[in-house]
Amino acid sequence: MRYISVLGFITLLVSACAPMTAPTITTTPVIEPSPTFTPIPTFTASPVPTATPFAILGTVALDFTALLCNAEWMNGGIKLTPCPNPSADISGGYATVLDPVSEGLPIDTPVLKMIPNANALFLRYPPFKVGASDRFRATLRCPASTRCDVQFALEYYDADGKYNGEFMAWDFKSGDSPINVDADLASLTGQTVDFVLTLRLFHTIENSQQDNGLWIAPHIYRPLQ
């Protein structure tokens, strides 16, 4: 019966790990070479990246990106067709869901791109009842590769149909840092309103590749009670 003593096994493992040194083989009284054991490497699993939700410890009460095609699109006094066929005329203005990777954002980031093609573009969303702790959250900027000078605004129609066009606004120019918005909606608590995402220009637009606004993860956040 062939066997390896405990001392011999330890000697073998130590010798196998020693760099640039011939292994020392300890055998039993039977004159046969023992097999060489290669230590099995220990693998440390790489951490799997997890997407950070855009509402932590709360819920998304209204997702503006997901409801884009449910909104009423307007260009001043002209109503536009929401989410038109790609071959349709979009010269009056356009909005679309953008691939976030094209702007260096995580793949699961909702991004809404507004292309005004005139002095303003409005997206009027379906009626929404505002909760006591609701907040409007978004990151606002323009595409990195194009020039822009725009105003982002969150506006609304109240239950009587009155338009409140100076509710909240943020100006952005090329070269500015992204605007991180976390706005309290307490003044609207209990009201049912039609929120409007607005992109305004205060100059003549030169072409549709300029003055495009990005709403990154625009939503109404509702903290857990």
Side-chain angles (χ1 to χ4, degrees):
M1 177 177 180
R2 192 190 320 169
Y3 65 95
I4 303 176
S5 67
V6 173
L7 178 60
F9 182 69
I10 295 174
T11 302
L12 180 59
L13 287 178
V14 172
S15 62
C17 297
M20 305 300 293
T21 304
T24 301
I25 301 174
T26 303
T27 65
T28 65
V30 178
I31 310 301
E32 291 182 8
S34 298
T36 301
F37 293 97
T38 302
I40 299 175
T42 301
F43 294 98
T44 302
S46 299
V48 178
T50 56
T52 301
F54 55 84
I56 300 175
L57 299 180
T59 61
V60 177
L62 175 61
D63 185 340
F64 291 95
T65 306
L67 294 178
L68 173 61
C69 295
N70 297 89
E72 180 180 341
W73 297 19
M74 296 174 288
N75 180 351
I78 302 173
K79 291 187 177 182
L80 307 174
T81 301
C83 298
N85 185 288
S87 61
D89 178 13
I90 58 173
S91 59
Y94 186 66
T96 185
V97 177
L98 184 69
D99 176 8
V101 177
S102 66
E103 287 296 322
L105 298 167
I107 195 170
D108 59 344
T109 306
V111 181
L112 181 59
K113 180 179 181 180
M114 293 178 68
I115 305 167
N117 286 353
N119 66 334
L121 181 63
F122 305 87
L123 303 178
R124 178 178 179 175
Y125 284 80
F128 174 81
K129 187 173 182 179
V130 181
S133 301
D134 286 358
R135 307 184 71 83
F136 173 68
R137 290 183 173 180
T139 297
L140 311 176
R141 65 177 178 85
C142 291
S145 59
T146 60
R147 189 159 51 90
C148 82
D149 183 356
V150 301
Q151 182 184 80
F152 295 89
L154 176 69
E155 301 167 340
Y156 69 93
Y157 287 88
D158 64 21
D160 296 325
K162 179 183 177 182
Y163 188 55
N164 294 267
E166 298 182 357
F167 184 51
M168 297 181 182
W170 306 269
D171 295 331
F172 183 90
K173 292 183 179 181
S174 297
D176 290 351
S177 298
I179 302 169
N180 295 312
V181 178
D182 184 7
D184 187 0
L185 300 176
S187 64
L188 299 178
T189 297
Q191 296 187 47
T192 297
V193 302
D194 296 1
F195 280 117
V196 180
L197 296 187
T198 303
L199 188 70
R200 284 192 178 87
L201 309 181
F202 298 101
H203 59 274
T204 301
I205 191 169
E206 296 180 5
N207 62 69
S208 61
Q209 302 304 312
Q210 296 180 5
D211 298 304
N212 298 337
L214 300 183
W215 303 76
I216 302 171
H219 64 285
I220 303 299
Y221 168 75
R222 181 166 293 169
L224 294 177
Q225 301 300 321

